[in-house]
Amino acid sequence: DAKTTQPTSMDCAEGRAANLPCNHSTISGNEYVYWYRQIHSQGPQYIIHGLKNNETNEMASLIITEDRKSSTLILPHATLRDTAVYYCIVGLSGSARQLTFGSGTQLTVLP
Amino acid sequence: EPEVTQTPSHQVTQMGQEVILRCVPISNHLYFYWYRQILGQKVEFLVSFYNNEISEKSEIFDDQFSVERPDGSNFTLKIRSTKLEDSAMYFCASGGAGQPQHFGDGTRLSIL
């Protein structure tokens, strides 16, 4: 599976958009970009995933560059409850393949 | 919204004892997984299970570990003879065809 690179930590003011970047320059054509988050030792929570096109759901938006070598997760109006470690993971869809978690980005939403 | 449920939330076991961690995956999912997270470390893959057999397993998943889907709803992880280093959070996940994996809230396993 392709490797990802994320900043170790980021801060964001409450109510502002949080933009979390991820580099995945070795992604292959059939691999998806997944975003999960983990709030203090709870189970990882699925946020969003995409292949080529930008995606939006009730939690977030995912912007994938045209060359697919990087992406950005956008939380449009961050709240204190969005404070978590955010993981960007590249992998195949709907298969028995493992998700490989890195260290992620610790997002702290400040009041 | 359907979710993955895990029991117990906390298990305390003496070293050398057997332990079984239980998971109820989301009902129409076909792929099942176990991961673990030692305190302060990354989430690590243990094993994936599809069509009643192991699809993939990591180096961590040695002969002391086994998985089973004993009926249509449960998915279990057994550790035969626990070691101190097995202390961790254990997460079960499930996924459908073309669907992302969804995780339970984990079982905290403490080996004394």
Side-chain angles (χ1 to χ4, degrees):
Chain A
D1 292 336
K3 211 175 158 178
T4 62
T5 305
Q6 299 178 251
T8 302
S9 63
M10 293 181 66
D11 292 341
C12 175
E14 189 178 17
R16 303 297 295 268
N19 296 282
L20 292 95
C22 179
N23 286 321
H24 32 79
S25 58
T26 60
I27 192 170
S28 63
N30 57 350
E31 286 182 313
Y32 285 70
V33 180
Y34 293 89
W35 282 86
Y36 284 80
R37 72 182 183 184
Q38 190 174 27
I39 298 172
H40 189 57
S41 295
Q42 293 178 20
Q45 179 188 21
Y46 166 75
I47 301 172
I48 199 167
H49 74 291
L51 183 63
K52 294 180 188 174
N53 300 322
N54 298 337
E55 303 287 344
T56 295
N57 63 21
E58 64 279 3
M59 289 183 70
S61 294
L62 173 60
I63 309 297
I64 302 174
T65 57
E66 196 169 335
D67 64 8
R68 304 211 319 127
K69 292 184 177 181
S70 66
S71 61
T72 302
L73 178 75
I74 301 172
L75 307 179
H77 305 287
T79 70
L80 299 179
R81 287 183 296 180
D82 292 321
T83 293
V85 178
Y86 286 77
Y87 300 101
C88 167
I89 301 169
V90 169
L92 298 173
S93 171
S95 71
R97 294 299 304 277
Q98 59 179 287
L99 294 175
T100 301
F101 287 80
S103 301
T105 296
Q106 170 67 58
L107 174 70
T108 302
V109 181
L110 303 170
Chain B
E1 186 176 320
E3 56 183 28
V4 176
T5 56
Q6 292 187 242
T7 54
S9 56
H10 190 189
Q11 173 81 46
V12 181
T13 301
Q14 292 287 332
M15 187 172 61
Q17 295 296 304
E18 175 184 286
V19 67
I20 297 176
L21 309 182
R22 303 180 191 280
C23 169
V24 178
I26 294 172
S27 63
N28 61 347
H29 283 182
L30 303 174
Y31 304 95
F32 313 108
Y33 313 81
W34 284 101
Y35 293 78
R36 80 171 187 191
Q37 187 175 31
I38 295 171
L39 186 63
Q41 298 188 21
K42 297 177 186 178
V43 176
E44 302 174 287
F45 168 78
L46 293 178
V47 65
S48 59
F49 192 85
Y50 170 70
N51 202 24
N52 280 322
E53 58 183 29
I54 290 173
S55 301
E56 198 175 32
K57 60 183 181 179
S58 71
E59 292 177 353
I60 304 167
F61 194 87
D62 61 21
D63 291 345
Q64 292 300 312
F65 291 87
S66 62
V67 288
E68 195 177 33
R69 188 154 159 80
D71 53 42
S73 60
N74 291 287
F75 180 52
T76 62
L77 173 70
K78 179 166 39 175
I79 309 175
R80 285 191 187 80
S81 179
T82 49
K83 307 183 188 74
L84 293 175
E85 55 264 37
D86 294 327
S87 294
M89 285 290 294
Y90 287 80
F91 297 111
C92 172
S94 69
Q99 299 294 318
Q101 295 179 32
H102 289 268
F103 287 74
D105 272 337
T107 293
R108 179 176 301 282
L109 179 62
S110 300
I111 307 300
L112 305 179

